[in-house]
Amino acid sequence: MNIKEKIIEKGLLFCALLTILTTLGIIAVLVIQSVSFFKEVSFLDFITDTEWTPLFSNKHYGILPLFAGTFLTTFIAILVAVPIGLIIAIYLSEYAPKKLRNILKPALEVLAAVPTVVYGYFALVYVTPFLQNIFPSLSGFNSLSPGLMMGIMILPLVSSLSEDALYAVPKFLKEGSFALGATKFQTAWKVMVPAAFSGIAVSVILAISRAIGETMIVAIAAGQQPRLTMNPLVPVETATTYIVQVSMGDVPHDSIEYKTIFAVGMSLFVFTLVLNNISFWLKKRYQETYN
Amino acid sequence: MKIEAKNVNFFYGPDQVLRDISMSIKKNTVTALIGPSGCGKSTFLRLFNRMNDLIETAKLEGEILIDGVDIYNKNINVNELRKTIGMVFQKPNPFPKSIFENVAYGMKVNGITDKSIIEESVEESLKQAALWEEVKDKLKKSAFALSGGQQQRLCIARALAVKPSVLLMDEPASALDPISSIKIEELIYQLKASYTIMIVTHNMQQASRTSDKTAFFYMGELVEFDDTRTLFTNPKKERTQNYITGRFG
Ligand SMILES: Nc1ncnc2c1ncn2[C@@H]1O[C@H](COP(=O)(O)OP(=O)(O)OP(=O)(O)O)[C@@H](O)[C@H]1O
Ligand SMILES: [Mg+2]
């Protein structure tokens, strides 16, 4: 009995350590390869050069065009997901009868379970041609339609987590507002949303992280042309798409071209790490407010 | 009569928690509701600002009249009604806003936009709630920065700011230290001049110190309703006698 317990305990510990080690290993590879990349390319060029052409003969290593692509698609996705997600969250927690909520919430979460390749394909084959009716200048590859699809993909992340946050607001706060003659909408908007603010912000940050890291949709529908632009109608390339493009290509493994993907990966990693820390901090503050 | 309950029965789903309760309350008086836990005091109190409407399974029979008007009448606008009936909750529940915005909230949601009117009322309400001196220099600070007792007086100020005629208080001092609790009691005494007050309390001394009339509830029934002094010194029912002398509950 005692030995059995010990084995289980050690086994669990082993699994936990394995996860941590794997993560550390990945970070180590990222760091080592990035360091060797920055021995050949100046960091200043990397963050200020406005062209990204490591695969051409006239090489430029400016990350900005890739970040522009990532930023633009993410921005469009957030523009879709946050307002709609928040409206859905408010509807589900404040207006919908309990039964309806218990059906709608899981139904929405299915959206997040759709394989992203489906969204990408849908963006390329249906959404872009449809949008071309509205914007005739829209290219076959662009950031608008994958951005929109990505917004729908991360919608349940925002709506579900925001709804959780709204639901967790103490009931007596809501009653306090109603007791002063406030309407349902006033209560939801002026008391519940501010009270759940940190939780909602966390959901938005997670959604941003998810959108920044999303690969398939943008790789399929946004194009592979690094371009420093804020125009949603033209082809771009996101950081993630670039990594896919190079890792699936046939560049030699010791070359500087190959190392670029680690430098790009490292930049993405730093970005999401910062976002994660913000959300962690917000969560902590949130818990303090209601204790 | 300012407030009247007539043959009130109340149900949560199949459970009847109030049984045939009738009670009349005069203007500018304080009425204490006492009784053991779960006897229906809060449920009864929450009938007067229709707070129980929020509970899906709730069902009411009988009439609740305020100023002679049946507040459960179909033509009654619930939001308008709640403006005239202030409520203070057991746990201080300030909104996640500044001290000023907390007090201004009720006016703003009721469509008052004139800045000077709002500022004036905020100051007046905070003075009425005996909080002004303590917060006048930090109105922009978060309400969470106040102590529990201050938060509760802020909630009272918030309720007063919409100029109700009735104040419902559900154990307003039970979460507070003795000194804050006494402050709330003094406040109730002063507010009586302008408001009709109903207060739920578990504290016998508090009931006898603050109220003119006391109602004793037991298992959803109104056992005895009388002048506070009479009820505490010379109760007519044995149940009441047992409860106030601490033999049960
Ligand atoms: N939302 C609700 N749904 C179902 N039953 C409820 C609900 N609220 C209260 N009850 C029940 O109704 C009865 C009366 O509750 P109420 O809160 O009015 O009692 P109370 O006298 O205020 O008690 P306490 O002194 O503990 O606050 C209790 O049996 C309680 O369990
Ligand atoms: Mg109660």
Side-chain angles (χ1 to χ4, degrees):
Chain A
M1 189 62 194
N2 229 336
I3 290 175
K4 217 169 154 189
E5 289 280 320
K6 276 236 164 79
I7 293 174
I8 292 174
E9 192 190 318
K10 289 281 176 318
L12 291 176
L13 181 67
F14 177 74
C15 293
L17 285 180
L18 202 63
T19 324
I20 295 172
L21 283 178
T22 315
T23 315
L24 287 180
I26 293 173
I27 294 174
V29 172
L30 273 180
V31 170
I32 292 167
Q33 296 278 8
S34 302
V35 166
S36 106
F37 172 81
F38 284 117
K39 275 184 187 145
E40 294 174 53
V41 176
S42 106
F43 183 70
L44 197 66
D45 281 350
F46 185 67
I47 57 168
T48 55
D49 197 330
T50 56
E51 277 183 73
W52 179 259
T53 54
L55 306 179
F56 298 153
S57 50
N58 177 17
K59 293 189 188 316
H60 282 275
Y61 299 100
I63 187 84
L64 290 177
L66 293 185
F67 272 7
T70 296
F71 174 81
L72 196 54
T73 47
T74 301
F75 185 74
I76 293 168
I78 291 301
L79 226 50
V80 173
V82 170
I84 301 180
L86 203 54
I87 289 169
I88 292 175
I90 291 175
Y91 174 74
L92 286 181
S93 79
E94 308 301 316
Y95 289 87
K98 269 215 181 75
K99 275 185 197 154
L100 187 64
R101 168 182 178 270
N102 293 342
I103 299 169
L104 277 184
K105 214 181 162 194
L108 257 172
E109 282 162 9
V110 168
L111 279 181
V114 175
T116 55
V117 65
V118 174
Y119 283 118
Y121 184 75
F122 197 78
L124 183 67
V125 178
Y126 294 104
V127 180
T128 297
F130 172 76
L131 289 175
Q132 276 167 338
N133 297 329
I134 307 168
F135 309 103
S137 64
L138 186 70
S139 316
F141 294 106
N142 58 75
S143 44
L144 183 59
S145 81
L148 293 176
M149 286 323 283
M150 208 151 74
I152 290 170
M153 178 194 75
I154 59 177
L155 182 67
L157 203 66
V158 176
S159 66
S160 199
L161 291 178
S162 298
E163 204 266 350
D164 289 343
L166 287 168
Y167 204 72
V169 174
K171 202 180 77 187
F172 55 72
L173 213 56
K174 187 191 295 192
E175 292 186 341
S177 172
F178 281 132
L180 291 165
T183 61
K184 241 180 182 178
F185 180 74
Q186 288 167 330
T187 302
W189 190 243
K190 296 187 171 174
V191 172
M192 301 302 281
V193 170
F197 178 77
S198 355
I200 291 170
V202 166
S203 82
V204 173
I205 290 171
L206 283 179
I208 294 175
S209 296
R210 183 74 184 78
I212 288 178
E214 171 50 31
T215 310
M216 211 36 125
I217 300 177
V218 285
I220 294 176
Q224 298 195 343
Q225 299 178 28
R227 189 190 305 243
L228 186 52
T229 180
M230 285 297 119
N231 179 358
L233 306 179
V234 298
V236 293
E237 179 163 51
T238 68
T240 50
T241 306
Y242 175 76
I243 294 176
V244 174
Q245 183 192 355
V246 174
S247 19
M248 306 222 299
D250 45 10
V251 294
H253 276 202
D254 271 340
S255 64
I256 180 77
E257 288 86 346
Y258 190 68
K259 282 174 194 157
T260 55
I261 65 175
F262 293 97
V264 174
M266 187 74 201
S267 317
L268 280 180
F269 176 71
V270 169
F271 249 100
T272 30
L273 194 69
V274 169
L275 287 175
N276 267 346
N277 273 312
I278 297 176
S279 91
F280 182 76
W281 176 79
L282 277 172
K283 246 187 224 162
K284 226 175 81 183
R285 222 189 55 158
Y286 177 62
Q287 277 155 3
E288 276 162 12
T289 322
Y290 286 107
N291 277 344
Chain B
M1 284 297 157
K2 178 74 186 172
I3 302 174
E4 280 172 284
K6 285 188 180 167
N7 307 102
V8 166
N9 290 302
F10 187 86
F11 306 80
Y12 289 116
D15 304 326
Q16 181 165 10
V17 297
L18 295 175
R19 293 166 196 278
D20 194 30
I21 295 179
S22 297
M23 191 192 276
S24 299
I25 293 172
K26 280 207 197 88
K27 198 166 179 249
N28 296 0
T29 58
V30 176
T31 304
L33 310 180
I34 62 170
S37 189
C39 67
K41 307 178 296 291
S42 298
T43 304
F44 185 65
L45 189 76
R46 290 157 60 94
L47 286 175
F48 298 94
N49 65 346
R50 293 188 54 171
M51 222 30 149
N52 292 328
D53 289 15
L54 301 178
I55 296 159
E56 282 176 34
T57 57
K59 197 181 107 206
L60 172 74
E61 288 171 0
E63 280 180 356
I64 303 280
L65 308 179
I66 291 179
D67 295 321
V69 177
D70 179 359
I71 62 168
Y72 283 84
N73 187 304
K74 284 213 162 47
N75 303 325
I76 294 286
N77 176 334
V78 183
N79 298 321
E80 289 296 314
L81 168 78
R82 288 185 183 142
K83 246 196 306 183
T84 65
I85 317 285
M87 181 168 235
V88 178
F89 296 77
Q90 178 169 5
K91 246 183 113 182
N93 57 350
F95 302 133
K97 298 176 186 295
S98 70
I99 294 170
F100 182 90
E101 287 301 328
N102 260 279
V103 185
Y105 181 83
M107 288 178 274
K108 288 191 174 170
V109 297
N110 286 300
I112 298 174
T113 49
D114 187 321
K115 256 199 172 156
S116 59
I117 291 183
I118 292 180
E119 272 168 24
E120 239 169 67
S121 296
V122 167
E123 180 173 342
E124 192 193 316
S125 310
L126 284 169
K127 279 180 176 160
Q128 270 188 301
L131 188 60
W132 175 250
E133 287 305 320
E134 291 155 65
V135 301
K136 64 180 179 198
D137 298 323
K138 48 179 181 180
L139 293 174
K140 292 267 176 307
K141 286 250 173 70
S142 163
F144 291 136
L146 298 174
S147 74
Q150 289 174 325
Q151 286 187 9
Q152 193 63 307
R153 275 178 285 147
L154 180 69
C155 291
I156 294 174
R158 187 175 76 182
L160 299 180
V162 286
K163 311 237 178 324
S165 60
V166 176
L167 263 189
L168 309 172
M169 305 177 125
D170 195 346
E171 304 188 44
S174 68
L176 307 181
D177 62 277
I179 293 171
S180 306
S181 178
I182 294 289
K183 272 202 180 141
I184 302 276
E185 284 182 28
E186 284 169 0
L187 197 54
I188 291 170
Y189 190 77
Q190 286 162 18
L191 292 174
K192 194 169 83 167
S194 350
Y195 304 89
T196 307
I197 299 174
M198 292 175 79
I199 175 173
V200 172
T201 178
H202 277 283
N203 182 327
M204 297 303 126
Q205 279 84 30
Q206 191 173 70
S208 59
R209 278 194 300 257
T210 56
S211 68
D212 305 299
K213 293 254 192 175
T214 297
F216 171 61
F217 284 77
Y218 183 72
M219 303 226 335
E221 284 177 33
L222 178 57
V223 176
E224 193 163 350
F225 178 48
D226 211 332
D227 288 338
T228 297
R229 189 173 304 160
T230 315
L231 190 129
F232 277 101
T233 54
N234 195 8
K236 298 194 177 48
K237 301 271 170 62
E238 203 186 332
R239 276 238 162 82
T240 319
Q241 170 82 26
N242 288 344
Y243 182 71
I244 58 177
T245 54
R247 243 169 277 167
F248 80 94

